[in-house]
Every structure is written in structure tokens, then in C-alpha cells.
Amino acid sequence: MTRWSVALRAALWAGLLSCGASIANAAGGTLRIITWADYVPADVAAQFTKETGIKVEVALSNNEELISKLRATRGAGFDLAQPSQDRILGPQQEFGIYKPIDLAKVQVDRIQPDLLATVRRNATIGGRLYALPYVWGAEGLVVNTKRTQINDYLDLCHADLRSRTSVRLRRPTLMAFAFAMDKDPFALYGDTKAYTALMEQVGARLIACKANFRFFFDNRDQLLNGMRSGELHAAMMWDSGGWRLNRENPDIKFIAPKSGALGWLDTYALPARGKNEAAAYAWINFTLRPEIAARIAKAIGNFSAAKGADQLTDPVLRAQFAASFPEGFKSVRWYPAIPPGLEEIEGRILDRVKAAK
Amino acid sequence: MTTFDLEAKALSKRFATHTAVDALSFGVERGSFFSILGPSGCGKTTLLRMVAGFIEPDGGDVEIGGRSMCGVPPNRRPVNMVFQQLALFPMMSVGENVAYGLARRGVARADRERKAAEMLDRVGLPGLAAKRVDQLSGGQRQRVAIARSLVLKPTLLLLDEPLGALDLKLRERMKIELKQLQAAFGTTFVYITHDQSEALVLSDRVAVMNSGRFEQVGTPQELYYSPATPFVAGFVGANNRIDGQVSAIDGDLVEIRSAAGWTVKARRHGTLKPGDAATIFVRPEVAVLGRSTADLALAEPAAVHQGTVESLLFDGANSAVLLREQASRCEFRVALPQTGRYADLKVNEPVFFSFAADRAVCFGVGSSHG
Amino acid sequence: MAKATASASQRLILWLLLAPALLWLFGLILLPHLDLALLSLRERTGPGEYAFGLAQYRTFFTEPLYWDVFVRTATISLIATALTLLLAFPIAWTIAKLTRGRLSTLLFAVCLIPFWVSETVRTLGWMILLRETGVIPGLLVTLGITEVPIEMLYRDPTILVGLVYTSLLFMVVPLYGSLESLDDSLIEAAYDLGGNGWTVLRTVVIPHASPGITAGCIVVFMLTLGNYLTASLLGGKNSLWFTEQIYTQFITRFNWEQGAAFGFLLLLLSSVMVWTGLRLSGQRFSDVMSRT
Ligand SMILES: Nc1ncnc2c1ncn2[C@@H]1O[C@H](COP(=O)(O)OP(=O)(O)O)[C@@H](O)[C@H]1O
Ligand SMILES: [Mg+2]
């Protein structure tokens, strides 16, 4: 590829996708964050603005869209991004969309060390760290216990749950089913051939199960509504959603599946061409304050990576956590970083599942 | 015993408050050319469309070829119509246009192509079957429209002002062609027009229509020379009209006196008595003109009127002069003799004129049907 | 001399007038397509490394899934177009020929209703109506037509209904235009010469309206082919819409190369369909475009 065409493409997509927003809002007083729903509670942002004078602008996204947007602008348009920790290495190697974190500018001692270690393991490239932990949680099963009693992912395929369950047609589902099939996909990350074979097996299992999936959900509300209305009896779901349903209807429980819950960990990362780096660091340090972190955790319904926030966590949430994870964190598996190229293999399997009749 | 191809029996149509066709009854003889003449808006099209079946009558019946058409849809009636704007199908060739009706009757392709070609021959358009409609001249289209109908051998052909869209020269020529076509095919034509000259030239019989009714039905000559109503007298031909009051009655002749004081005599139509309001119609060609009373050379005694030339209306054989009667300043039109005499009249020149009283007709006002 | 400069300045003015349109055409249509073309001809050889190759197109033809989705999208789009035509024709006919004034305005407005709300809201509205616990299945049970609520979402007929509903106006407008211009006396003449409803429709109305029909079909076909929301939301787990595949490739798989290749194949498909449509109906492109 010539330099010219790369430059051309970057200019083009930047122009098309960020639509001038980046130019208009490049003012020093603004922090532009691309993140998940609820991750920047309005009251927290307001307090931040009051203290620092920096305005906060939020764009909502999920991992894939976040990466796509940053890829399109080659890391411009946002000052802070919040991808999951396993989704940093591959895209960074492939597209170079982030810049390393300057640990001197962060109050690192406020971060829970074991979570920081996890991120260090997965998001260090060439000796430099590209992310810090923000919020974590686990994915498991949400079950309407009035209707069914299941305790692992493969149970979603029981004959009596026909058209009564749902999963996302995304990679976590492939991982969860692989573990439920007593395989360890993470161990095969480095072996493309073996990994492909495993994914094909998982795909076949999902296809066999397809009649049980009412739909593949795309957003949280779609799933929550399905569970609330009773159209769904069980689904693979994040803990926060499960606990929210539980608060509304005690019959609906979030459980850690027998084969283990998968732990996710979302991070702070700096887009390569973010304009307001100072504001990004200010925000990171601000949100690592225990009382702020606790407020954020409550708004999201998950747990903060900041030290001391746990003590301030909502007691209801703590009770729910204890009920869902009787063994504590032990059963939670963290995603390792995804090497580039794996997602293409998974993508083809997911397409096949979708196409199967 | 005459046979009627078309008989209307107390045919009526109302639109909201307006009666477009008012209990009309008439018959059209087989093989004849029948015209309906009337001003625009008098209900001609409505009448024709009831015959064709596009409008359901409110009352009365239509019989075609002796068969009642009550409840028969237009595509089952043995009549065809030539539309005001011709309505040729632009998406088809000339041949396909002519063969359209045959195709609808299930005539085989080869057969109908042959018949269409024959028909085009007969209407004087040989070899044009493959042309597109928009490649034809106005007159040729006219003939295609007629051919398209005649090829179906209808009992009755209805024509709704088919010459209206043509320019004057072409109209004159098409008049003659229509007449010849009708004679050649022998099909009964029912022709509607607001142009009296078309009706008079073409028709065996003419009905003069006014406000949904027929004022008079007769041969062109009857209409022209013996109008039955003031409307007919006024509508057919360029008639001089003098309004006044009956001042004297002398057998068949009446004398009326106009408001401006001109006294004129005419043949009486219907009953009149002195003092009645009345109107006299005098055709321009009935009057004679002279520079002196001697020039008038009257064969029988008649009143001589005096006037001045208002303007000269030169139109070849139809030339006329517009006069003002001296005392009353009434306008009066006199046809100029074909010899070219008096073509040199000057405006304001004093002249004399006269007409035989029995060739002028007098109607009482308000007695439309005499 | 003076004349030459005058015409030169006229030409300059012409170019200046055309400039925004040309820039727009070039910058927003031509350039991205060129870029997509280049993208689709790359294959990944390592992290951030690419080489020229036809791998993306090869994948399309070797992986039956993509081919199936492609064919399925084309087929459903064709069916949706046909259904839209069948439904829109009587509506357009009614507006053009049977009603006057207020009533025809009202009918047009009815066709416009789908566009008063955004496609997302509209589609979500459908989902609320049609889902198992939704209004319509509930109504069917109340009326005793079905014993238990049935799921009406995620079925092909539902997708079709959604697509047709969304496309109706785009068919009605060109049809209305071409039917409006049909002289009523042509229809009467055809009846008068012995035609019946069907033959008049076939021999006079359809040939006259055919530029409008073709225009409407082309627009509706392109719209359905490129539809994303209706097809994917109403289609649920089996939706398999080609634009969805493109979206997935671009956004969730970061596989721009594959997405670009798919985009080009879709462009090719619609061009071929338009060409075939024009061929079959014997229309010229310029005639049809003047109808839209
Ligand atoms: N469909 C209709 N609705 C209401 N009035 C009509 C309709 N058709 C004709 N008319 C009225 O009936 C009268 C006769 O019309 P028409 O038969 O067309 O007259 P003509 O052909 O002699 O000009 C006119 O006053 C016209 O306005
Ligand atoms: Mg008329």
C-alpha cells in the first residue's frame, strides 16, 4: 500500500465517520470519552466538570464499534476509550490505535494490584502498558427459576427450552460453550489449527442448539425485555443485567455456571491521536477516588478496579454477588489477550451459526 | 317502414341539480348520418356516452338495432365511438390500433392483420400499418380512429366532435372524407358537434339540442329554412334578429315595431296577438341591397328600408355587409351578391335594402315551441 | 477577441456552478468507491501488513454461507418488490383515477405515515406488536383464533411485510405519476373496442405505466437490497441479510477488506438487476429516470 492511499483513506474515513465533530470540539476544555452505557454517570461527570472546568462528552459504543471507530480515524476523535482488556493487544498491533499510558501521571497505587496485574499481562506491547483497569464483572447465566433449573451453558440446549433461551452471537459465547464442552480455548490461542478445529466443534454444537435460541441478542435491553416478559427462560448474560432482573423479580437469578463464569475487565485506554491527554489523566485519577469509584460501580451495577471502592459498594449488590459466586472469584476466568487473526476464524464460525437452519 | 338503428326512449341524466339530458326520445334511421348540434354544455357528450354505455341513464332506455341496452356494458354494445381527442393507443402501431378490437374478439393474428390492412386501404392509408401513431398527421390519425371502429362493423358509430382538434383547412377536407366514408360503409353515424356548418354539410338529419332537449329534428334544409324555434333560428346560420312588439296582424304576416321604432313585417310562427313581445329572424341572403330603390328590382311589393354601411365583411363567396337601419340604428346584415357587385361599397355610404316578408319569420317571445 | 473572452468566462461560470455537485460526486461517491475497490483487493499477510490479492472474492465464492445469503437477499428483495408493486398499483390507481382533491391527498398522506417516524422507531414498534407477548398474538388468543400466543417475529413473511410497508411510498409515487398521465379516454376507447378489465390493464394501462413501474421497481429493489434495520431486526436470528454481513465485516470483524468486497458484489448485483429490469421491460434508462 502506498503512503498516499493510506493517507487518503485515513482522511476520508476520518471525515466521513467523525463528521467534523472532532474539529469543532477540539477545545482544551473538553474530554471526549468513547465508552459503554452507564460507564460515565451524569452526576460524576458534572462533579468532574465543577472541579476541573473540563467538559465531558460521551459517545456510547461496544468493543467492536469502538475499535472500528478508532481504526477509521486512526485513533483520533476521542481522548479516552474503554475497551475490554483482552481487546487491546490485537487491534493495537494491527491498527495502532492507542498510545501507551504514562504511569507517572496516574495514581497507580489506587488500583487493585491483582486487576492491574491482569491488565499488565494482556495489554503490554513492547514493554509499554496500553491500558489500566476500570470496571470488572463476570458473564454467566441468568435463569428464571420458576420455569427452569439449569446450571451450565450446555443446559441452554435442553429440549424443553426450545425457543426460550438467548445468547449473543459474539466470541464470549464461543468461549463459554467451549469451556462447557470441557475444552480450554485460551490454551489454544497460539495454535491456529487446533483453535480452528475447536471453534468448528463449538460452532456445530451451537448450530445443534439453534432451535433453542429465540434470538441472538444485540443489546442489553433486548435481553432484559425478553426475560421480563417471560419469552425467555434462561440466557447467557452479564452479571449486572442479571442482578438488575433479580431486583425486579426474585425468581430470576444470575448464576455462575458449573464450567465457570468468564470474567471481563474494561479499561481506560488512550486513543493514539487524542487531543486532550491532560484531561484524560485528570479523569482517570478522579474516577480512581474510592468514593467516586463506588458511585460509578453502583451506577453500572458492577465492581470497580479502584481500591477501597468495594467497602463502599451497595450492600444489595454485595449480597447478590455472594449468592451468585459462592466460591468468590476463584471460579472466574479472565480472558487473555486475543492475538490478531483469531477473530477472523471465530467470525466465520459465527456466520455459519447464524446461517444454519 | 323505417328501421331504427338507435332509438332513445325518454332518456334522462341529471348531475346534482343540473339536468344534462332531459327525457329525450328520438330515432336514428339505419344507414343514415345523424347529427346532434348544440352549443357546448348542452348535454351532447352526456347523451352520446349514455348511448355508448359509459354513463348509466337516470331514466329511459336506449335501443340499438332493436335491442334494449339496459345493463349492457360498453364492451358488449354493438356501437363504437370515435373520441373527441381520438384516443389512439400511443403504445401500439397503427396496425395494432386498428386490429385492437379484433384481437379482443379473439380473431387470429394473421386474420386480424389482414383485416386491419384492408381497412387501412379502404380509409386511404395503405401500407401505414407499421407506423407509430405519432408519425401520422392529424388527418391520418382521424382516419385511423374511424378505421379502428369500422373494422368491427358496428351497428352504430358514435363520433364526439372528432374534427374539433383540427385546423380549419383540414377540417373542411375531413368533412368531405367523413361524408364519403359514411356513404361507402353505409354504417349509421351519430355525430355530435357545436359547429352548424359540419352538421349541415354532413347530415341526413340534424337534431338541434339546447339545455338537454331537442329543439328541432329535421333535414338541414328544414332547419335552415323553417326553424321551429327562435333558438334554432338563432343558432343555425348567421341570422338577423329584430326584437319588438306586434303592432299589426295580417293573416300569416305580422308587423312588429322595435323599441327603437323600426317597423318590420314577417311570416307568423304560432299564434300572436297585437301587443305581444316578438322576435323576427331574417337571413342575410334573403335581403337584397341597392344604391337606389330602383336597384332593388323587387319582384313583388315589399317594404324598402334605408341604412348606412357600418362595415364590409369580405369573405369571398360568403361576403356580407353590415348596415345600420337609418331611423332605429339597428344592426342588419345583408349578403353581397356573388357577382362582385357592391364590393366597392364605402363605410357610411347610404344604401337601400329590402326582404320579402314571408321569408322572414316571427316568433312570440316565451313561446319557444311555437 | 471579445467574443472569445466572453465564452471563456461563460465556461468558467459554468464550471463554478457545477463545482459543488462535482466535488460532492467526486468526494463522497467516487473516492470512497475507489477506496473500497482498492481495499477489496487486499489480503492480510500479517499484523498490519497487506498484499494485493483476490482472497476476499475467493472467500465469497468458496464459503457457501456468503453466497447463500447473497442469493437469499436478492430473492427476498425481488419478492418484496413484486409484492410492493401488487399492493401499490391499486393504491396509485385509486389516487390517480378514482379520487379527487382532499381524498387523494389523504391517501397520499396514508402512504407517507411510515415516514413520520424513524425507521428504528417504526421497526421497534412492529416488534412490540408482533412479539409473542405482544399486542397482535394476544389479540389472536382473545379472539380465539389461536390457543396460545404465537411468535410472529423472526419469520420471512414478517420481514417481507416490513420491507413492503417501508417501500410502499417509493412505488406509489412513480406509479401515480405514470397513471395520472394516462388519458382516461384511452381506457374508455379500449373498453369501447371490446376490452375487459384484464385486457385493458394488460394492453393499455401497463404499457403506458411501464416507465413508472420500472422506476418504482428499481427504487424499491435497491432500497430493500440495501435495507439494514428492518431486515435484521425483524429477521432475528435467521435474518441473514447481505448488508448485515457487510456491516458485520466492517464493524464487528474489523475485516474491511472482506466488507469492501461484499460491498462491491452488492453494487454489482444491483447494477445487473437494474440492467435486466430495463431489458425485460424494454425501457430506456433515461425514460425511467425522468419518472423517478
Ligand atoms: N360528470 C359530470 N358531473 C357533473 N356535471 C357534469 C358531468 N358531466 C357533464 N356535466 C355537466 O353536464 C352538462 C352537459 O355536459 P356535456 O354533455 O359534456 O356537454 P357538451 O358535450 O354538449 O358540451 C354540462 O353543464 C356539464 O358541466
Ligand atoms: Mg362535449
Side-chain angles (χ1 to χ4, degrees):
Chain A
M1 278 293 112
T2 62
R3 288 249 301 280
W4 181 81
S5 94
V6 170
L8 170 75
R9 172 163 319 123
L12 223 103
W13 286 105
L16 282 181
L17 289 177
S18 55
C19 271
S22 56
I23 301 152
N25 295 323
T30 310
L31 171 67
R32 293 157 308 158
I33 308 180
I34 179 161
T35 188
W36 305 73
D38 299 340
Y39 272 34
V40 177
D43 58 322
V44 173
Q47 187 179 337
F48 178 72
T49 307
K50 214 165 135 197
E51 287 184 16
T52 61
I54 301 171
K55 259 174 60 195
V56 181
E57 278 175 14
V58 179
L60 298 184
S61 181
N62 57 35
N63 272 321
E64 289 85 4
E65 271 177 29
L66 183 155
I67 295 166
S68 290
K69 278 192 177 143
L70 290 179
R71 178 187 178 189
T73 61
R74 289 199 304 153
F78 298 99
D79 306 306
L80 187 70
Q82 304 210 274
S84 297
Q85 52 96 13
D86 56 320
R87 305 296 281 269
I88 292 173
L89 181 81
Q92 175 58 18
Q93 285 181 337
E94 195 91 13
F95 315 126
I97 52 181
Y98 301 117
K99 57 188 165 194
I101 306 267
D102 182 354
L103 289 174
K105 294 185 180 162
V106 180
Q107 290 165 311
V108 181
D109 54 330
R110 285 196 167 163
I111 302 174
Q112 293 185 39
D114 49 338
L115 294 174
L116 183 58
T118 307
V119 174
R120 262 188 205 283
R121 197 164 54 243
N122 288 334
T124 303
I125 303 167
R128 306 172 77 177
L129 181 60
Y130 279 82
L132 294 170
Y134 179 56
V135 161
W136 66 274
E139 203 161 354
L141 284 169
V142 51
V143 181
N144 188 334
T145 52
K146 259 267 182 58
R147 313 270 191 168
T148 183
Q149 301 282 338
I150 63 169
N151 58 24
D152 206 354
Y153 295 119
L154 288 183
D155 296 340
L156 291 174
C157 304
H158 275 169
D160 55 351
L161 286 178
R162 200 182 158 85
S163 197
R164 294 293 171 205
T165 72
S166 185
V167 297
R168 277 179 302 160
L169 201 55
R170 294 279 162 91
R171 68 181 312 272
T173 307
L174 294 176
M175 300 302 110
F177 270 69
F179 282 115
M181 289 160 72
D182 266 336
K183 301 281 177 4
D184 183 358
F186 297 162
L188 300 178
Y189 266 18
D191 181 349
T192 310
K193 239 177 111 186
Y195 190 74
T196 308
L198 173 59
M199 285 301 114
E200 272 169 3
Q201 261 176 286
V202 173
R205 191 75 193 78
L206 284 170
I207 288 172
C209 191
K210 196 174 174 191
N212 278 26
F213 303 134
R214 189 177 197 84
F215 49 77
F216 296 117
F217 71 97
D218 250 340
N219 59 62
R220 189 179 58 186
D221 287 331
Q222 194 185 1
L223 187 88
L224 295 186
N225 288 333
M227 290 299 296
R228 284 179 189 131
S229 67
E231 286 174 8
L232 295 177
H233 295 171
M236 181 171 168
M237 179 58 169
W238 302 283
D239 45 9
S240 57
W243 290 328
R244 178 187 288 198
L245 287 171
N246 179 249
R247 282 196 291 278
E248 293 168 12
N249 176 359
D251 291 336
I252 301 179
K253 298 216 158 76
F254 177 76
I255 60 167
K258 217 165 62 210
S259 58
L262 286 164
W264 52 263
L265 175 52
D266 290 340
T267 66
Y268 304 97
L270 301 175
R273 301 199 295 144
K275 294 240 171 64
N276 206 344
E277 212 180 294
Y281 284 114
W283 172 260
I284 293 174
N285 289 323
F286 175 73
T287 49
L288 283 175
R289 286 187 211 160
E291 77 279 6
I292 301 290
R295 264 160 67 191
I296 292 173
K298 176 155 194 218
I300 307 176
N302 282 102
F303 306 100
S304 172
K307 268 189 213 161
D310 282 354
Q311 283 75 28
L312 301 170
T313 301
D314 182 16
V316 179
L317 187 60
R318 252 190 290 172
Q320 285 177 321
F321 177 78
S324 297
F325 296 94
E327 306 159 48
F329 299 124
K330 295 293 175 293
S331 62
V332 175
R333 277 202 192 87
W334 300 105
Y335 287 103
I338 312 165
L342 274 198
E343 290 190 83
E344 216 177 309
I345 300 169
E346 293 159 4
R348 214 159 303 160
I349 303 296
L350 293 174
D351 282 346
R352 257 181 239 166
V353 175
K354 174 130 205 204
K357 282 286 164 212
Chain B
M1 167 87 210
T2 52
T3 43
F4 290 120
D5 268 348
L6 170 63
E7 259 197 288
K9 295 184 173 164
L11 204 53
S12 304
K13 181 71 197 176
R14 293 176 66 82
F15 293 117
T17 60
H18 173 84
T19 306
V21 173
D22 192 0
L24 270 185
S25 299
F26 63 94
V28 176
E29 253 172 69
R30 173 157 301 168
S32 68
F33 197 122
F34 184 87
S35 289
I36 298 166
L37 170 67
S40 114
C42 72
K44 305 181 296 291
T45 299
T46 307
L47 172 60
L48 206 68
R49 289 170 65 83
M50 283 195 284
V51 174
F54 292 119
I55 297 181
E56 189 73 19
D58 291 333
D61 191 15
V62 174
E63 280 180 13
I64 296 171
R67 216 152 55 80
S68 167
M69 287 294 124
C70 189
V72 181
N75 52 356
R76 300 261 172 71
R77 295 191 179 194
V79 294
N80 286 107
M81 185 150 167
V82 175
F83 288 79
Q84 203 154 5
Q85 302 298 327
L86 301 186
L88 295 181
F89 304 125
M91 61 290 275
M92 300 174 204
S93 71
V94 170
E96 285 169 337
N97 263 281
V98 177
Y100 188 86
L102 296 172
R104 301 287 80 77
R105 288 185 183 173
V107 176
R109 173 179 287 267
D111 232 17
R112 59 180 198 252
E113 278 174 4
R114 186 178 47 77
K115 284 189 172 157
E118 275 172 20
M119 181 51 71
L120 283 170
D121 274 355
R122 286 186 73 183
V123 299
L125 300 170
L128 291 188
K131 287 245 191 227
R132 283 205 323 273
V133 169
D134 56 15
Q135 292 173 307
L136 300 186
S137 70
Q140 288 174 322
R141 280 188 220 188
Q142 190 75 57
R143 283 183 266 178
V144 173
I146 292 166
R148 180 174 76 172
S149 295
L150 288 183
V151 77
L152 296 175
K153 301 196 165 58
T155 307
L156 203 60
L157 185 68
L158 309 175
L159 302 99
D160 185 354
E161 311 207 18
L163 306 185
L166 303 181
D167 62 58
L168 188 69
K169 261 248 144 59
L170 192 55
R171 196 150 66 208
E172 290 304 317
R173 218 182 67 216
M174 284 311 296
K175 259 193 237 172
I176 299 164
E177 283 193 15
L178 264 179
K179 180 103 181 155
Q180 289 168 341
L181 274 175
Q182 197 266 337
F185 283 87
T187 308
T188 312
F189 276 34
V190 175
Y191 184 97
I192 65 180
T193 181
H194 65 268
D195 181 318
Q196 48 133 340
S197 129
E198 281 174 25
L200 297 182
V201 169
L202 289 169
S203 317
D204 298 318
R205 285 174 79 74
V206 179
V208 178
M209 190 169 179
N210 182 27
S211 311
R213 301 179 135 271
F214 283 174
E215 295 268 340
Q216 184 176 2
V217 183
T219 64
Q221 292 77 1
E222 283 165 2
L223 294 182
Y224 194 84
Y225 293 116
S226 342
T229 69
F231 179 83
V232 176
F235 194 73
V236 180
N239 244 333
N240 289 300
R241 175 190 176 119
I242 304 152
D243 293 313
Q245 260 186 346
V246 176
S247 49
I249 299 181
D250 171 15
D252 259 357
L253 296 183
V254 280
E255 185 187 79
I256 74 158
R257 195 180 167 78
S258 79
W262 189 19
T263 307
V264 186
K265 275 188 177 170
R267 177 166 50 84
R268 180 174 57 89
H269 192 280
T271 48
L272 284 168
K273 56 184 193 307
D276 281 353
T279 306
I280 287 179
F281 291 94
V282 190
R283 296 210 173 275
E285 64 272 23
V286 163
V288 288
L289 191 71
R291 285 204 161 96
S292 66
T293 41
D295 285 344
L296 297 175
L298 297 169
E300 46 198 279
V304 173
H305 309 280
Q306 223 177 330
T308 52
V309 175
E310 173 90 5
S311 58
L312 210 60
L313 310 170
F314 185 77
D315 182 16
N318 296 323
S319 297
V321 60
L322 202 60
L323 308 174
R324 277 203 187 278
E325 201 273 330
Q326 197 154 40
S328 64
R329 307 305 296 160
C330 256
E331 225 175 49
F332 195 88
R333 186 183 171 115
V334 181
L336 286 178
Q338 311 274 324
T339 54
R341 201 179 167 200
Y342 303 124
D344 57 347
L345 279 176
K346 298 280 176 303
V347 173
N348 285 334
E349 198 178 327
V351 286
F352 295 91
F353 63 98
S354 174
F355 51 85
D358 61 346
R359 301 196 61 187
V361 61
C362 178
F363 297 97
V365 171
S367 63
S368 64
H369 288 277
Chain C
M1 275 319 284
K3 205 171 172 188
T5 41
S7 81
S9 73
Q10 267 174 10
R11 208 168 317 141
L12 181 71
I13 288 172
L14 184 70
W15 278 110
L16 283 177
L17 286 175
L18 280 178
L22 288 178
L23 268 179
W24 182 79
L25 207 68
F26 183 73
L28 287 171
I29 298 179
L30 226 55
L31 266 188
H33 274 93
L34 275 178
D35 189 49
L36 281 179
L38 285 179
L39 260 178
S40 75
L41 293 172
R42 306 196 311 183
E43 49 189 80
R44 182 174 172 279
T45 51
E49 286 168 30
Y50 299 91
F52 177 84
L54 289 173
Q56 315 305 339
Y57 293 94
R58 217 176 302 128
T59 313
F60 174 77
F61 288 104
T62 49
E63 175 71 57
L65 161 65
Y66 301 136
W67 177 246
D68 289 349
V69 175
F70 192 69
V71 171
R72 184 187 133 90
T73 306
T75 315
I76 294 191
S77 295
L78 276 179
I79 297 174
T81 308
L83 285 178
T84 311
L85 178 61
L86 285 182
L87 207 65
F89 201 94
I91 298 175
W93 181 263
T94 310
I95 299 175
K97 293 290 173 205
L98 306 182
T99 58
R100 300 253 125 69
R102 289 265 290 282
L103 192 56
S104 54
T105 317
L106 191 79
L107 274 170
F108 254 127
V110 169
C111 294
L112 256 175
I113 285 175
F115 299 89
W116 283 343
V117 290
S118 79
E119 192 182 7
T120 323
V121 175
R122 190 187 334 143
T123 313
L124 290 174
W126 279 73
M127 295 182 74
I128 291 171
L129 280 185
L130 296 176
R131 62 188 300 173
E132 184 184 350
T133 51
V135 179
I136 292 178
L139 201 68
L140 289 182
V141 173
T142 319
L143 294 178
I145 297 172
T146 55
E147 259 169 43
V148 290
I150 46 163
E151 179 67 273
M152 302 180 91
L153 279 180
Y154 317 130
R155 295 164 189 268
D156 283 356
T158 312
I159 305 181
L160 275 175
V161 170
L163 290 174
V164 169
Y165 180 77
T166 317
S167 317
L168 208 53
L169 184 74
F170 297 95
M171 189 66 94
V172 168
V173 168
L175 278 185
Y176 167 78
S178 60
L179 290 177
E180 165 87 304
S181 70
L182 173 61
D183 190 350
D184 286 351
S185 67
L186 287 188
I187 300 167
E188 285 181 351
Y191 269 110
D192 185 66
L193 293 167
N196 54 36
W198 164 242
T199 52
V200 172
L201 183 72
R202 183 172 56 81
T203 56
V204 176
V205 179
I206 290 180
H208 177 88
S210 107
I213 293 174
T214 316
C217 285
I218 288 176
V219 171
V220 168
F221 180 76
M222 303 252 235
L223 278 178
T224 32
L225 200 64
N227 188 299
Y228 176 72
L229 268 177
T230 305
S232 57
L233 285 184
L234 294 182
K237 65 175 177 181
N238 292 320
S239 83
L240 293 179
W241 206 250
F242 203 67
T243 39
E244 201 188 356
Q245 290 280 343
I246 298 177
Y247 178 87
T248 308
Q249 291 300 340
F250 267 102
I251 304 297
T252 46
R253 304 280 153 71
F254 321 128
N255 197 342
W256 290 9
E257 292 73 26
Q258 190 69 70
F262 284 1
F264 256 82
L265 289 163
L266 195 65
L267 185 68
L268 191 74
L269 173 69
S270 48
S271 311
V272 168
M273 286 297 194
V274 168
W275 184 81
T276 320
L278 290 173
R279 257 302 151 95
L280 285 181
S281 62
Q283 299 295 317
R284 285 213 320 272
F285 191 65
S286 54
D287 293 352
V288 171
M289 284 303 110
S290 65
R291 292 275 176 185
T292 42

